[in-house]
Amino acid sequence: MAKNSFLLHFLLFFVLILSLFYGILSQYELEELTWLDDKDDEISMFHSQHSSMRKCDFTSGKWVFDQSYPLYDSSCPYLTTAVSCTKNGRPDSDYEKWRWKPHGCEIPRFNALEFLGRMRKKRIMLVGDSIMRNQWESLVCLIQSVIPMARKTVTYVGPTMAFHAMDFETTIEFCWAPFLVELKKGPENKRILHLDMIEENAKYWRGADVLVFDSAHWWTHSDKYSSWDLIMEGNSFYRNMNPMVAYEKGLMTWAKWVDLNLDPRKNRVFFRSMSPRHNRENGWKCFNQREPLEFFSHPHVPEPLLVLKEVLRGMSFPVSFQDITTMTALRRDGHPSVYSKFVSQTGKQHLGDYKSDCSHWCLPGVPDTWNEMLNVML
């Protein structure tokens, strides 16, 4: 009897302990759920902001003057002479202080450490012509100031150059491939553009985590400024092919390579639209321009842009299209013009003797905005 009484009391005690224990657990669970709810609010807010940025039309907006710009100093050691307009004697600097403001949203200010943190252990490669080199210099200058001198370097391999942020194990590379497809020397030193060959260029792109492409300007050079002597497709040679037909064929070769060789789970691919030139009036259209245009009364859509969009639509790989053409066309003030090389005080009295570059961009300047957009798209 005593034994049964002891067991009864033990069971009652055990049930009491369990009830207290579950009461405590319930309280912990309540607090945990509350904490998760708080975090979920933050996560929802982040995703909401991210979603709103994804819905934002970056192509529609205006340039606003912002005294807090530029994002880096014009003394950045990675700038080439041709885009160092301040060093070359350009007397004004307002072109450095314009920020693109899309209608309905803001492009976040570029944060170098945040960018490097996200790009840790990654290869970012920009592929294209000298305008893409312009953008590469901009991106390197946007991040280099937060990296100690001994922890950054530049290396060169074939047609590529790579900036290394050692502590982040991040590389930002540029690969010279203005057509994307191959341009080779043939008999009699003729320049032959191979519309269906790409591997000699593409072998440098393999292994990159982020690829940013552009190709347009070299396809539009005409007459005596043409970038090729002959076009070859398969075993056939062509002396006179419509440049836009050739452009489409070249892009199709590039698109096939991307579809067959890249994995959307591992690679991000962007194609930046063509940077507009202001070369009318023999290149003097951009000379002495001091501020952006506000709008276009008759917006013009370049033919290469239509061709590019059509090719991208037909791809299976999800390429992100970065359209900078319209916003950049408003910035005729941003070109080097005569300040693509040093102009002395004496030279300033004879500026008509200098060549005016209305294709490339002074840095700091317009390509910084392209990279702020790219940062958001990443």
Side-chain angles (χ1 to χ4, degrees):
M1 188 73 180
K3 185 177 181 180
N4 289 338
S5 177
F6 172 77
L7 286 172
L8 180 62
H9 282 87
F10 177 80
L11 287 172
L12 287 172
F13 177 75
F14 184 69
V15 169
L16 178 63
I17 293 297
L18 280 178
S19 64
L20 290 172
F21 180 67
Y22 278 112
I24 294 170
L25 270 185
S26 298
Q27 182 63 32
Y28 281 154
E29 287 170 354
L30 183 62
E31 291 176 3
E32 178 101 346
L33 288 171
T34 303
W35 179 83
L36 285 173
D37 284 342
D38 289 342
K39 285 296 182 181
D40 282 345
D41 287 343
E42 293 178 17
I43 292 169
S44 296
M45 186 182 299
F46 169 78
H47 282 291
S48 175
Q49 291 171 345
H50 184 65
S51 178
S52 67
M53 290 303 295
R54 287 175 65 88
K55 293 175 184 176
C56 180
D57 180 5
F58 291 139
T59 65
S60 176
K62 62 181 180 179
W63 290 97
V64 296
F65 194 75
D66 190 333
Q67 287 283 6
S68 71
Y69 278 64
L71 297 166
Y72 55 89
D73 193 83
S74 59
S75 63
C76 172
Y78 300 95
L79 295 180
T80 50
T81 299
V83 299
S84 301
C85 302
T86 299
K87 285 184 181 179
N88 291 339
R90 179 167 174 167
D92 63 307
S93 60
D94 281 358
Y95 65 88
E96 300 178 348
K97 299 180 181 296
W98 293 94
R99 173 175 59 83
W100 181 247
K101 170 67 175 69
H103 296 311
C105 65
E106 294 278 350
I107 297 177
R109 188 180 179 91
F110 191 91
N111 183 309
L113 285 174
E114 186 269 341
F115 177 84
L116 285 167
R118 283 189 292 112
M119 295 296 109
R120 186 182 295 275
K121 295 186 177 182
K122 286 183 168 51
R123 284 181 63 203
I124 306 159
M125 179 174 277
L126 283 63
V127 182
D129 55 22
S130 57
I131 309 295
M132 188 60 90
R133 163 72 184 263
N134 218 168
Q135 185 174 352
W136 177 81
E137 291 182 28
S138 161
L139 185 54
V140 170
C141 287
L142 282 167
I143 67 165
Q144 67 88 25
S145 64
V146 301
I147 305 168
M149 183 61 70
R151 306 303 299 161
K152 54 190 173 187
T153 188
V154 175
T155 58
Y156 303 85
V157 177
T160 72
M161 57 184 69
F163 174 87
H164 302 264
M166 298 178 195
D167 292 332
F168 293 88
E169 299 179 64
T170 300
T171 62
I172 300 175
E173 305 174 43
F174 168 70
C175 180
W176 171 258
F179 293 107
L180 302 181
V181 293
E182 298 173 22
L183 180 68
K184 294 183 174 183
K185 286 290 179 71
E188 300 178 9
N189 224 27
K190 296 285 188 183
R191 300 165 300 168
I192 302 175
L193 182 60
H194 294 264
L195 297 181
D196 52 2
M197 296 175 64
I198 199 170
E199 188 56 37
E200 279 300 308
N201 294 328
K203 66 184 180 183
Y204 295 101
W205 313 339
R206 296 180 186 277
D209 300 286
V210 178
L211 283 159
V212 185
F213 293 95
D214 95 312
S215 183
H217 282 292
W218 281 51
W219 296 91
T220 61
H221 295 169
S222 58
D223 303 325
K224 64 179 180 179
Y225 298 109
S226 176
S227 305
W228 62 82
D229 300 306
L230 294 169
I231 288 177
M232 189 172 183
E233 185 180 23
N235 295 319
S236 301
F237 286 93
Y238 303 89
R239 288 188 179 275
N240 299 301
M241 181 182 287
N242 182 308
M244 289 301 96
V245 172
Y247 181 50
E248 182 176 16
K249 288 176 178 290
L251 285 180
M252 291 295 290
T253 298
W254 165 83
K256 180 187 282 189
W257 184 89
V258 171
D259 283 341
L260 291 176
N261 291 277
L262 300 183
D263 183 346
R265 295 168 297 180
K266 299 177 181 178
N267 308 107
R268 292 292 307 278
V269 178
F270 299 84
F271 205 112
R272 198 208 69 215
S273 68
M274 70 182 299
S275 166
R277 294 173 289 190
H278 299 91
N279 276 338
R280 294 190 302 276
E281 300 175 12
N282 295 320
W284 289 91
K285 190 70 176 177
C286 70
F287 174 68
N288 214 27
Q289 297 295 326
R290 300 298 179 90
E291 59 184 29
L293 297 171
E294 290 187 19
F295 59 89
F296 290 111
S297 55
H298 302 287
H300 170 66
V301 180
E303 190 175 359
L305 187 57
L306 299 175
V307 173
L308 171 61
K309 286 182 175 181
E310 189 63 31
V311 171
L312 294 180
R313 274 194 287 267
M315 295 179 65
S316 59
F317 190 99
V319 175
S320 298
F321 176 56
Q322 185 184 8
D323 188 354
I324 55 89
T325 302
T326 301
M327 59 175 281
T328 306
L330 297 169
R331 292 301 309 276
R332 61 184 184 179
D333 60 307
H335 298 288
S337 184
V338 298
Y339 299 103
S340 60
K341 58 184 179 180
F342 179 71
V343 179
S344 65
Q345 288 299 322
T346 304
K348 289 180 181 179
Q349 307 303 314
H350 308 280
L351 290 176
D353 297 336
Y354 289 79
K355 182 181 177 181
S356 180
D357 179 356
C358 295
S359 296
H360 299 93
W361 301 94
C362 296
L363 291 177
V366 173
D368 302 330
T369 297
W370 304 346
N371 284 322
E372 285 192 301
M373 289 174 61
L374 177 64
N375 183 40
V376 172
M377 294 175 74
L378 277 168

